[in-house]
C-alpha cells in the first residue's frame, strides 16, 4: 500500500545518447584547450623572435660603440704619449670615448633586457602545469587554485636546500 516504485532505468538507447553527448562535449573541450594553447605558443614564439632580434641589434650597437670607445681610448693614449702637452686634442678624444662608453653600456643593458623575453615564460609555465618539462614537479596541478606564476617567485630547492638540477645537471630556473 505505501510502497513506492523505483524510477525505471533509462533504456539502452538513451544511455548511449548520453554517453555520446558527453564524449562530444569532452572532445570539444579538448579542441578548445588545444587551440588556446596553440595561440599561446604562437604568441610566445612571436614575442621571443621579436625580442631576439632586438637583443641582437642592441648587442651589435654595444659591440660597435665598445670598439669605437676602445679605438678612441687608444688614440688618446697615443696622443698623450706623442704630444704630452696637447690637452685640447686629448680632452676632445676623451669626451668622445666617454660618450661611446655610455652608449655601449646602454645598448648592453637593452640587449639583456630584451633577451629576457626569449625564455618563453608563459609557455613553460603552462607546459609545467600540464606535467611536461623540468618544472612539472614544482608547479601546481591543473585543478589547483594556485597560479603557475607563483613558482617564479620562489627559489627552487631540494629538501636539503640545494638548487634543483635538470637531467643534464644544470640548475633548473623558474620560467
Amino acid at each position: 500500500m505505501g510502497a513506492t516504485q523505483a524510477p525505471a532505468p533509462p533504456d539502452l538507447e538513451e544511455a548511449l545518447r548520453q554517453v555520446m553527448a558527453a564524449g562530444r562535449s569532452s572532445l570539444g573541450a579538448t579542441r578548445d584547450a588545444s587551440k588556446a594553447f596553440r595561440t599561446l605558443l604562437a604568441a610566445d614564439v612571436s614575442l621571443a623572435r621579436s625580442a631576439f632580434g632586438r637583443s641582437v641589434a642592441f648587442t651589435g650597437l654595444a659591440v660597435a660603440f665598445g670598439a669605437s670607445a676602445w679605438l678612441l681610448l687608444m688614440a688618446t693614449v697615443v696622443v698623450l704619449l706623442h704630444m704630452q702637452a696637447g690637452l685640447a686634442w686629448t680632452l676632445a678624444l676623451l669626451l668622445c670615448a666617454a660618450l661611446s662608453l655610455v652608449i655601449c653600456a646602454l645598448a648592453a643593458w637593452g640587449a639583456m633586457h630584451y633577451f629576457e623575453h626569449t625564455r618563453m615564460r608563459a609557455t613553460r609555465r603552462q607546459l609545467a602545469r600540464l606535467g611536461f618539462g623540468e618544472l612539472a614537479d614544482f608547479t601546481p596541478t591543473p585543478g589547483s587554485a594556485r597560479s603557475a606564476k607563483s613558482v617564479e617567485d620562489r627559489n627552487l630547492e631540494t629538501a636539503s636546500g640545494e638548487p634543483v638540477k635538470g637531467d643534464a645537471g644544470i640548475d633548473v630556473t623558474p620560467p
Side-chain angles (χ1 to χ4, degrees):
M1 293 208 195
T4 59
Q5 290 183 339
D11 63 342
L12 182 61
E13 188 177 334
E14 181 61 28
L16 283 175
R17 266 193 223 112
Q18 290 176 358
V19 168
M20 288 178 64
R24 278 193 294 274
S25 174
S26 176
L27 183 62
T30 301
R31 188 174 352 119
D32 292 343
S34 65
K35 282 181 182 179
F37 187 72
R38 184 176 58 94
T39 302
L40 171 69
L41 182 63
D44 222 6
V45 166
S46 177
L47 176 64
R49 184 177 53 232
S50 173
F52 182 72
R54 289 177 183 189
S55 92
V56 167
F58 277 113
T59 301
L61 276 172
V63 167
F65 281 98
S68 69
W70 173 257
L71 292 173
L72 289 170
L73 287 172
M74 288 298 104
T76 302
V77 169
V78 168
V79 168
L80 279 173
L81 291 175
H82 182 64
M83 298 185 67
Q84 290 198 17
L87 189 59
W89 281 94
T90 305
L91 185 59
L93 288 172
L94 281 174
L95 288 175
C96 290
L99 178 64
S100 291
L101 285 174
V102 167
I103 292 172
C104 175
L106 289 173
W109 175 84
M112 289 186 289
H113 173 73
Y114 279 110
F115 194 70
E116 189 65 26
H117 292 298
T118 64
R119 296 183 65 205
M120 299 177 65
R121 291 176 155 194
T123 300
R124 288 179 64 207
R125 280 195 303 266
Q126 292 307 313
L127 284 172
R129 189 147 189 169
L130 292 172
F132 299 105
E134 59 192 8
L135 298 172
D137 296 336
F138 306 100
T139 307
T141 59
S144 171
R146 263 184 68 219
S147 74
K149 190 169 181 351
S150 66
V151 174
E152 265 186 84
D153 302 331
R154 63 182 179 151
N155 293 331
L156 299 178
E157 296 177 344
T158 61
S160 63
E162 296 176 10
V164 175
K165 302 217 182 266
D167 294 337
I170 300 170
D171 289 351
V172 174
T173 58

